[in-house]
Amino acid sequence: MTDPLGAVVVPAEELRERILGLGKEITADYAERPPLLVGVLKGAFMFMSDLARAIDLPVEFDFMAVSSYGSATRTSGVVRIIKDLDLDLTDRHVLIVEDIVDSGLTLAYLRRLLAARQPASLEICALLVKDGLQKSDLDIKYVGFQIPPDFVVGYGLDVGERYRNLPDVVEYLGPPE
Ligand code: 5GP
């Protein structure tokens, strides 16, 4: 059976170049206050790894795992924490590293949750932001790419745990799993 994959939305080479650019921006912005990168599992693991290597500062890492209730290709905004952070955020310069923002509900929830832990600063770096679908004003400081509102896989993003290892971000044409 052939994979239900459509057009390449962001090729690996463009990902690489843009992430190097984001790394430079973050390096300049956080020069005096190295950030704590908070990756949102699982989707952001690949982005987090490449972004961190593009930041020329002594960054630290932590991870959260969340899952949104709802069908596989649509989020409901009700977020469940599967794994919380290990580190205390008090007085830290926290940068949330997220794979993709669709409705923005997941990030809005995470931002509220982490802001309540008294970080010195809290910003968001999202690799992919879908056009026109943000329901809340999220104030995302670093955006890799604005993409059309199609469902995509690859570069960390899955459907039913598949396709995370595709080097490109690719449109997914199949049914939700
Ligand atoms: P939001 O809460 O912004 O609507 O959705 C965010 C979460 O839904 C992402 O962290 C991701 O897990 C999932 N998601 C949203 N759009 C896509 C997509 O196009 N592909 C994949 N694989 N996951 C997506």
Side-chain angles (χ1 to χ4, degrees), residues 108-129:
Y109 174 86
L110 276 181
R111 187 201 267 281
R112 269 200 313 278
L113 183 82
L114 300 189
R117 299 182 185 181
Q118 318 294 331
S121 67
L122 181 63
E123 300 290 355
I124 295 169
C125 178
L127 179 63
L128 306 168
V129 175

Side-chain angles (χ1 to χ4, degrees), residues 42-58:
K42 298 177 190 171
F45 80 97
M46 221 172 264
F47 176 41
M48 176 90 151
S49 150
D50 286 340
L51 180 69
R53 281 177 285 182
I55 299 173
D56 190 14
L57 293 171

Side-chain angles (χ1 to χ4, degrees), residues 40 43 66 68 72-75 77 79 98-107 130 138 147 150-154 157-159:
V40 185
V66 300
S68 23
T73 56
R74 210 81 210 126
T75 178
V79 178
E98 176 62 302
D99 48 3
I100 188 162
V101 184
D102 184 349
S103 68
L105 290 168
T106 304
L107 260 188
K130 290 196 187 171
L138 276 172
I147 61 167
D150 309 308
F151 197 83
V152 292
V153 294
L157 294 164
D158 75 316
V159 171

Side-chain angles (χ1 to χ4, degrees), residues 20-39:
L20 288 176
L22 286 171
K24 282 212 175 85
E25 268 184 65
I26 292 168
T27 302
D29 292 352
Y30 285 86
E32 305 304 321
R33 43 179 190 126
L36 170 62
L37 303 182
V38 168

